[in-house]
Amino acid sequence: MNEVIKLHNEAMGLAEEASLEKLKGNLSLSEELIKKAFEKERDAANSLLSNIDLEPTRSVLFRSAASLAIECKEIRAAEKLIATALSGNPPEEIASELRDLLEDVYFRRHLDLRGIVLEPNEFQVSITGDAIGFGVAESNTFIGRVRDLGNLIFRTAERKKDKKFRERIRRDISKAKEVEVYISVPRAASFAVTFRIGYSQQLELPGFGFSEMVINELMDCIDLFNKSEEASLRNRIPDSAYYRNFISLAKRISPDGKLVKSIGFTSTHTGKERHVLFTRKQIEIPPLILEEIREKLKETVRVKGVLKYADSIDALKNEIRLIDEKGTHHRIRVPEGMMDDIVRPLWDYYVEVIGFRENKFILLEEIRKVEEES
Amino acid sequence: MVRKINILLEANAIHLNSLSDGFPGITPKYGSFLSEAAVVCLEDQNHPSGIRMTIDGDINHQLNVFWDNIENRNQVYRTWQDYEETTEYGAYGLAFLIVSNLTDYTITQRAMKGKGFDYWIAKKNSNDFLFQNNGRLEVSGIRKGDNSKINSRMKEKISRINKYENDIPLIITIIEFSKPISRVMIK
C-alpha cells in the first residue's frame, strides 16, 4: 500500500509541476510532465484493481488517472480507466463524475478529424444530440446554428479589424465581401462540417494569418462563454454592440440539452489541433443585461406576440413592433448589435421579448422564437 | 466512519507566505505559487497587507491577511496575466489557510478531476490511507462581485453537491477579493 501512496504522490507532484510550467508558458515541458504523471497515476490505480471495496480510494485514483490520460490525449486509455472504475463500487458522487468524464471521452471521438486535414483558415464544427444521427441532422436544428455561426465569424473578423459595429451589413454588399464564410458538405461524425474563412488578399499579412487569428479569437470567446466567464468575455469584447451581438448569437447556437447536447469546435492553431467543447445549456444562460442598462432601468418586461414590423431605415429609431394575442401593438427599441443578426431572422414569427420599460417603448435585451400558444 | 468538521476560532490572522510551507497534500513550491496568486488578486483590489477579511456563512469570524512584499514583481505579474486563472488559484490559496486555521481539518490529498485538481481534507494528524475518511473541499473565486454573485456561486456549488446522498464531509468556500470576504458552508 505504501507503494500506491508513493506513486500517487509522485504523480500529483508532477501534475503540479506541469500546471506551473504551463502558467510560465513552457507548454512542451508541461506536456512531458503530464505524461509522466499519467503513467505513475495509472500504475497507482492499477495496483488497486482487485481491491473493489477500497472506496473512494480506488475510484478517485482511476478517475485521476483517466483525467491525466485525457490531458495527454490517450483517449482509449482514459476510456478503459473510467470503465474499470465504474465496474467497481464507486460512491454515487464519484460515479457521476466518472460518467461526466466518459461523456467527455466520447465527445472527443466526435471532435476527431477522421482523416480531414484542416487548413489554418478552417475549423470543424461537430454536433451531437437527439436531433443528430450518424451523418444526418434535423434541418431546423442544424441550419439555424450554421447561419448564426457564419454571422459570428463575420462579426469577429470585423471586430478584430477594429471596425465600428455595422448594423446593416447585408445592404452593403461590396464591404461585406471583404470576408467570406464557406461551409463544406456535411459528413458523419456524428454530424460535422468545416467552415472556411476567405479574406481579401491585401488584408492577409504575410507571415500572419488573419483568418487563423479570427478562428482562434472565436474559439477563445466561445470557451469563455461556455465556462460562464462573462467578466473575461466583456474585457475581451469591450464594445457593447459587439458584445451584445456575440452573447445573443452564442446563446442561439448553444445546446438545448436534448436535441443538441454538445457542439465541438476543432481547429489547427500554430500547427496543433485545438478543441473547444460547447456544452452550456440555453436554459441555463440568463438574459443579457448590460451593467449600463441595469443601472438606469429597473422594470423588466416580458411580452409575447408576432413580430410584424421592423423599421431600421432611421438609424436612431431601430424599432420593431410586436402584436400580442389581444391585438395590442408593443413598440420595441432594438439596441445596437441586434437588428440584423438577431431580430431580422425572426420576422413574422411568434416571439418572446425581454426588455426594460422606457416611456412608451420596451428597450430590447433578448428576443427568442417560441412555440405559438394555443 | 463519519467525522464531523469542528470550527476553531483561535486564529485572528493568516500569512499568505505560510502557504510556502506546504500542507500534507500540497508541496511547498505549489503553495508559494498559490500565495503569489492570492497576493496578485488582493493587490489588484488595492488592499494592503493586513487587510481584514470577513468570514461568514457557517463560520463567523474576521481574519487579518498579511503578506510580504513581492520581490521579482515584474516576473510574478507576467506569470499571473490570466484574470480568471489567477482568481481561482488565489482563492485556493486563501481557502487552504482558512480551512487549516479555522477548522480541525487540513489539506491532505489531491487528485486530478477534469483539467484541475480535486482537493481532499482530513483531521489534522490523521493517518488514514489515501482518501479514506477524508472530506472534500470545493473552492470558487470572484475577483470583484456583489453579495448576489457570491450567493449564486454558492447555490451553484450546493445544487451540484446536493444531488448525492453520502456522508463525505464537505467544505465549500467562495472567496471574494474586493471586500474581501469568504463565505463558508460546512456539511
Side-chain angles (χ1 to χ4, degrees):
Chain A
M1 288 297 181
N2 282 343
E3 181 62 14
V4 180
I5 296 173
K6 183 172 170 278
L7 281 167
H8 170 68
N9 284 340
E10 284 173 0
M12 292 302 100
L14 287 161
E16 278 182 354
E17 289 269 333
S19 61
L20 301 184
E21 292 304 329
K22 194 174 174 186
L23 272 172
K24 289 184 210 161
N26 302 328
L27 297 184
S28 61
L29 177 57
S30 171
E31 282 172 16
E32 269 175 45
L33 290 163
I34 280 286
K35 175 104 179 140
K36 285 182 188 163
F38 159 59
E39 285 162 0
K40 287 193 184 282
E41 192 74 328
R42 179 197 55 200
D43 292 348
N46 280 331
S47 308
L48 300 180
L49 192 62
S50 53
N51 293 53
I52 295 285
D53 293 321
L54 190 62
E55 291 291 358
T57 307
R58 185 179 183 273
S59 52
V60 170
L61 284 180
F62 273 101
R63 190 204 60 196
S64 183
S67 297
L68 287 163
I70 292 172
E71 279 298 286
C72 47
K73 300 184 181 65
E74 299 269 1
I75 302 301
R76 176 67 184 129
E79 191 179 21
K80 282 183 185 173
L81 289 160
I82 297 165
T84 308
L86 284 168
S87 69
N89 301 312
E92 196 190 341
E93 191 174 339
I94 310 292
S96 173
E97 289 166 5
L98 284 160
R99 287 186 205 105
D100 288 346
L101 210 53
L102 193 59
E103 250 182 53
D104 189 10
V105 164
Y106 287 145
F107 192 67
R108 275 165 203 272
R109 288 182 56 224
H110 299 309
L111 291 174
D112 189 355
L113 293 171
R114 297 175 189 228
I116 298 282
V117 178
L118 290 179
E119 296 297 325
N121 65 338
E122 295 176 335
F123 67 99
Q124 175 179 279
V125 176
S126 173
I127 304 179
T128 60
D130 291 355
I132 318 290
F134 191 71
V136 290
E138 200 179 274
S139 63
N140 283 345
T141 306
F142 178 71
I143 290 167
R145 284 183 170 81
V146 167
R147 186 195 57 219
D148 288 337
L149 261 169
N151 286 335
L152 211 47
I153 295 165
F154 183 83
R155 296 299 185 183
T156 305
E158 292 260 296
R159 176 165 58 83
K160 293 308 285 180
K161 277 170 58 193
D162 293 327
K163 285 203 167 188
K164 190 177 180 309
F165 189 89
R166 290 191 282 165
E167 199 66 72
R168 297 176 190 83
I169 202 72
R170 282 163 228 270
R171 296 184 193 171
D172 198 346
I173 298 297
S174 63
K175 282 183 184 169
K177 283 284 178 186
E178 281 178 7
V179 175
E180 287 283 11
V181 179
Y182 303 92
I183 178 169
S184 76
V185 175
R187 53 188 178 274
S190 292
F191 196 84
V193 291
T194 299
F195 281 82
R196 176 184 295 168
I197 301 180
Y199 218 74
S200 58
Q201 285 297 318
Q202 67 269 30
L203 290 164
E204 198 79 56
L205 303 174
F208 184 73
F210 184 80
S211 305
E212 189 179 355
M213 183 175 82
V214 169
I215 290 170
N216 205 38
E217 170 72 11
L218 178 68
M219 287 175 74
D220 283 350
C221 290
I222 286 176
D223 197 24
L224 288 172
F225 184 68
N226 186 50
K227 292 175 186 159
S228 309
E229 291 177 6
E230 269 84 356
S232 298
L233 193 59
R234 189 68 216 260
N235 285 340
R236 201 150 180 148
I237 314 178
D239 181 278
S240 292
Y242 275 115
Y243 182 72
R244 189 182 282 115
N245 182 270
F246 180 90
I247 297 284
S248 304
L249 285 172
K251 187 168 181 178
R252 282 221 302 234
I253 293 164
S254 63
D256 58 30
K258 186 165 168 53
L259 293 176
V260 173
K261 287 187 173 152
S262 49
I263 301 166
F265 296 82
T266 307
S267 68
T268 50
H269 180 56
T270 56
K272 282 189 174 178
E273 260 184 46
R274 182 186 177 195
H275 303 296
V276 170
L277 303 180
F278 190 9
T279 53
R280 189 178 179 193
K281 291 190 193 98
Q282 243 163 42
I283 199 162
E284 292 168 358
I285 303 169
L288 167 71
I289 303 168
L290 297 182
E291 289 298 326
E292 57 260 36
I293 303 289
R294 195 204 302 258
E295 279 166 18
K296 275 193 283 184
L297 306 156
K298 300 287 179 205
E299 191 198 348
T300 307
V301 180
R302 281 174 186 261
V303 284
K304 286 181 185 173
V306 180
L307 179 61
K308 276 289 184 193
Y309 175 83
D311 178 6
S312 61
I313 297 166
D314 180 349
L316 293 173
K317 260 176 124 182
N318 263 351
E319 182 182 327
I320 55 172
R321 289 192 189 190
L322 205 69
I323 305 172
D324 68 17
E325 282 166 347
K326 291 176 188 164
T328 309
H329 287 232
H330 299 271
R331 300 178 71 180
I332 295 153
R333 282 259 164 89
V334 180
E336 213 187 349
M338 292 183 81
M339 185 61 99
D340 225 30
D341 298 342
I342 314 298
V343 175
R344 203 182 300 279
L346 298 174
W347 169 262
D348 231 13
Y349 280 105
Y350 191 71
V351 298
E352 182 180 37
V353 159
I354 303 167
F356 295 93
R357 180 74 62 192
E358 189 182 44
N359 303 322
K360 57 190 175 184
F361 293 100
I362 295 170
L363 185 59
L364 178 71
E365 276 300 314
E366 188 170 326
I367 182 167
R368 62 187 183 94
K369 196 157 77 170
V370 288
E371 293 300 316
E372 200 138 1
E373 289 156 351
S374 54
Chain B
M1 181 173 57
V2 182
R3 289 180 178 176
K4 191 173 171 286
I5 297 170
N6 295 306
I7 298 167
L8 317 166
L9 298 179
E10 288 145 16
N12 291 314
I14 51 175
H15 203 297
L16 291 173
N17 295 66
S18 68
L19 285 163
S20 311
D21 298 336
F23 292 89
I26 304 288
T27 60
K29 190 174 177 186
Y30 200 70
S32 47
F33 261 78
L34 297 180
S35 158
E36 277 180 9
V39 173
V40 168
C41 293
L42 288 163
E43 286 191 348
D44 172 57
Q45 297 301 311
N46 300 315
H47 296 312
S49 173
I51 179 77
R52 203 147 179 81
M53 175 179 233
T54 302
I55 325 288
D56 68 9
D58 286 343
I59 300 180
N60 279 298
H61 198 57
Q62 293 212 313
L63 283 173
N64 290 96
V65 184
F66 292 94
W67 60 89
D68 291 345
N69 269 339
I70 301 178
E71 290 165 14
N72 54 355
R73 180 170 287 270
N74 288 345
Q75 193 190 331
V76 167
Y77 273 77
R78 258 203 312 277
T79 303
W80 296 106
Q81 279 179 3
D82 187 302
Y83 190 87
E84 299 294 333
E85 208 164 38
T86 311
T87 308
E88 279 308 296
Y89 279 102
Y92 272 105
L94 272 165
F96 291 169
L97 289 175
I98 288 167
V99 168
S100 61
N101 279 281
L102 299 184
T103 76
D104 57 347
Y105 272 60
T106 189
I107 321 304
T108 48
Q109 280 301 335
R110 72 279 202 222
M112 295 301 291
K113 190 175 114 183
K115 284 178 179 294
F117 286 100
D118 168 31
Y119 291 98
W120 291 71
I121 51 176
K123 290 266 183 204
K124 288 167 188 165
N125 304 318
S126 71
N127 289 315
D128 292 314
F129 185 61
L130 283 177
F131 310 111
Q132 295 292 306
N133 302 314
N134 278 200
R136 299 184 83 171
L137 175 66
E138 290 272 341
V139 179
S140 189
I142 300 168
R143 187 74 68 96
K144 188 175 184 180
D146 56 14
N147 201 40
S148 69
K149 188 156 190 178
I150 301 171
N151 283 340
S152 86
R153 196 71 70 88
M154 181 62 93
K155 255 190 211 163
E156 202 180 294
K157 289 264 179 201
I158 291 172
S159 69
R160 204 156 49 78
I161 304 292
N162 275 352
K163 285 193 287 187
Y164 312 107
E165 280 291 318
N166 65 44
D167 52 13
I168 299 176
L170 169 74
I171 299 180
I172 302 176
T173 314
I174 312 294
I175 306 282
E176 198 280 339
F177 286 95
S178 74
K179 307 225 177 349
I181 190 167
S182 169
R183 188 147 302 155
V184 180
M185 196 220 75
I186 297 176
K187 191 189 114 186

